[in-house]
C-alpha cells in the first residue's frame, strides 16, 4: 500500500526541465554533505524473506546544513523509519510503527581540498524510538561516521561509513557493534537527470554477518508549482543477508528541496 502511494505521488508530479538550476540541484543531491536542505521520503519494499515474509518501510531523512564558521559547515542527517512488516522473522505476524532513529552529524569544510575531494567526519547516534520490540533494538548507540567523495565532469563517487556500538539500553537485548559501508557512484545525464548505483552494506560484528544489497536508481529534479523536488525509482538485489532473506527490493523516493542560496 505504501509503495502504491509512492508511485501515485511520482506520477502526479509534472515534468519540467530546469537546465542549469536542475543540474546544480542534482549535483548537490549526489553529495551527502552539500549545502542543500532536503527532505527525502524514501519508500522501500523488500521481499523474499523466509516463509513469504515481506517488509515495507518509509525512511524520512531530513538533511540540514548549518554554518558554524566562515570555513566549516555541520550537516545534520536524520533517518526515521516508519515500518510495516509481515512474518519478519517467520511466524511473528505483522507489526507497524516507528523504528530506531539514526542521527549523524558531519563536520565538513565549505570548500573541497586542492585535489577536489569533499570530506566530512563526525558522530553517529542510535536512538531507540521503535514502537515495537521487533522494529528496534531498545539500545542507545554511538560511534564515528565519515564521508569522502569527489565530483568531476558529471560523475560523483565516494563512500559513506559509520560504526555504532551500543552504550546503554535494555539489558536483555543483544548488544550492538555494527559497521555500515556505502560506496556510491552516480552520473549526471543533464536536465536534472541522474543514474546511480551503490552498496548499502552492513556488518554485524556480534553475529559475524554481512547484509549486502546492491541498489540501482534513476532520479529527476523537477518542480511542482513553486516547490523544487526530486523523484527517484530503483531496485536492489541482496548479494548477502542473514539467514531467511530478503532476496530483492524496490525503492521510490520523493525529495523536497530547499536551496540555501
Amino acid at each position: 500500500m505504501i509503495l502504491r502511494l509512492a508511485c501515485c505521488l511520482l506520477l502526479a508530479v509534472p515534468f519540467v526541465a530546469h537546465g542549469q538550476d536542475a543540474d546544480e540541484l542534482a549535483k548537490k543531491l549526489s553529495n551527502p554533505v552539500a549545502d542543500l536542505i532536503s527532505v527525502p521520503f524514501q519508500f522501500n519494499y523488500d521481499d523474499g524473506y523466509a516463509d513469504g515474509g515481506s517488509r515495507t518501510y518509509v525512511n524520512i531523512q531530513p538533511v540540514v546544513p548549518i554554518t558554524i564558521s566562515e570555513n566549516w559547515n555541520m550537516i545534520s542527517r536524520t533517518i526515521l523509519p516508519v515500518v510495516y512488516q509481515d512474518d519478519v522473522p517467520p511466524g511473528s505476524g505483522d507489526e507497524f510503527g516507528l523504528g530506531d532513529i539514526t542521527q549523524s552529524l558531519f563536520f565538513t569544510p565549505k570548500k573541497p581540498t586542492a585535489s577536489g575531494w569533499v570530506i566530512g567526519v563526525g558522530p553517529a547516534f542510535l536512538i531507540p524510538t521503535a514502537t515495537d520490540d521487533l522494529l528496534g533494538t531498545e539500545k542507545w548507540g554511538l560511534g564515528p561516521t565519515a564521508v569522502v567523495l569527489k565530483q568531476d565532469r558529471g560523475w560523483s563517487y565516494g563512500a559513506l561509513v559509520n560504526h555504532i556500538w551500543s552504550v546503554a539500553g535494555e539489558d536483555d537485548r543483544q548488544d550492538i557493534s555494527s559497521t555500515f559501508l556505502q560506496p556510491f557512484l552516480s552520473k549526471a545525464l543533464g536536465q536534472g537527470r541522474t543514474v546511480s548505483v551503490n552498496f548499502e552494506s552492513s556488518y554485524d560484528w556480534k553475529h559475524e554477518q554481512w547484509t549486502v544489497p546492491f541498489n540501482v536508481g534513476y532520479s529527476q529534479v523537477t518542480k511542482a508549482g513553486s516547490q523544487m523536488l526530486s523523484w527517484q525509482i530503483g531496485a536492489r538485489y541482496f548479494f548477502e543477508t542473514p539467514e531467511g532473506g530478503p532476496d530483492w527490493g524496490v525503492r521510490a523516493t520523493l525529495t523536497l528541496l530547499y536551496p540555501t542560496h
Side-chain angles (χ1 to χ4, degrees):
M1 181 167 140
I2 294 177
L3 185 62
R4 289 199 297 270
L5 175 60
C7 293
C8 290
L9 285 171
L10 296 180
L11 291 173
V13 175
F15 173 84
V16 182
H18 298 283
Q20 294 296 324
D21 289 342
D23 288 342
E24 182 63 24
L25 286 174
K27 181 179 179 181
K28 288 186 175 183
L29 276 174
S30 296
N31 177 356
V33 290
D35 58 343
L36 171 70
I37 298 174
S38 63
V39 185
F41 297 86
Q42 185 193 84
F43 301 82
N44 297 271
Y45 174 78
D46 291 338
D47 207 339
Y49 288 92
D51 296 337
S54 64
R55 193 167 189 257
T56 303
Y57 57 102
V58 180
N59 285 331
I60 303 170
Q61 304 181 115
V63 179
V64 180
I66 302 168
T67 296
I68 58 174
S69 75
E70 182 180 351
N71 299 314
W72 287 81
N73 284 333
M74 182 182 74
I75 312 297
S76 170
R77 294 176 60 87
T78 307
I79 302 176
L80 170 62
V82 182
V83 185
Y84 171 78
Q85 61 186 32
D86 184 24
D87 282 337
V88 180
S92 62
D94 58 75
E95 295 84 30
F96 174 76
L98 300 178
D100 291 342
I101 288 176
T102 302
Q103 173 67 53
S104 301
L105 299 174
F106 295 93
F107 296 89
T108 179
K110 292 184 177 180
K111 294 182 179 180
T113 66
S115 56
W117 287 94
V118 176
I119 300 171
V121 296
F125 307 91
L126 179 67
I127 305 171
T129 51
T131 55
D132 188 286
D133 290 353
L134 292 177
L135 299 180
T137 62
E138 296 188 293
K139 291 286 188 178
W140 294 85
L142 175 65
T145 186
V147 62
V148 59
L149 70 126
K150 190 172 184 179
Q151 297 184 298
D152 183 37
R153 291 176 290 183
W155 291 95
S156 298
Y157 51 90
L160 186 152
V161 62
N162 69 44
H163 184 89
I164 292 179
W165 294 274
S166 54
V167 294
E170 295 296 327
D171 292 337
D172 59 351
R173 296 297 297 266
Q174 174 72 52
D175 287 337
I176 297 167
S177 178
S178 178
T179 298
F180 175 78
L181 175 61
Q182 184 185 36
F184 55 84
L185 173 69
S186 66
K187 173 61 175 174
L189 304 178
Q191 296 185 329
R193 299 169 299 160
T194 304
V195 292
S196 61
V197 295
N198 68 61
F199 285 95
E200 295 179 344
S201 305
S202 60
Y203 185 72
D204 180 348
W205 292 88
K206 294 296 183 180
H207 297 95
E208 299 182 341
Q209 176 66 61
W210 279 101
T211 301
V212 185
F214 174 71
N215 296 280
V216 58
Y218 170 86
S219 63
Q220 168 76 60
V221 172
T222 185
K223 195 173 186 180
S226 61
Q227 178 64 59
M228 295 299 298
L229 53 85
S230 170
W231 58 264
Q232 181 190 54
I233 54 173
R236 66 177 158 272
Y237 175 77
F238 287 82
F239 285 100
E240 182 73 24
T241 64
E243 184 177 356
D247 295 328
W248 61 273
V250 294
R251 172 174 292 173
T253 306
L254 181 66
T255 303
L256 305 179
L257 305 176
Y258 302 95
T260 57
H261 304 288

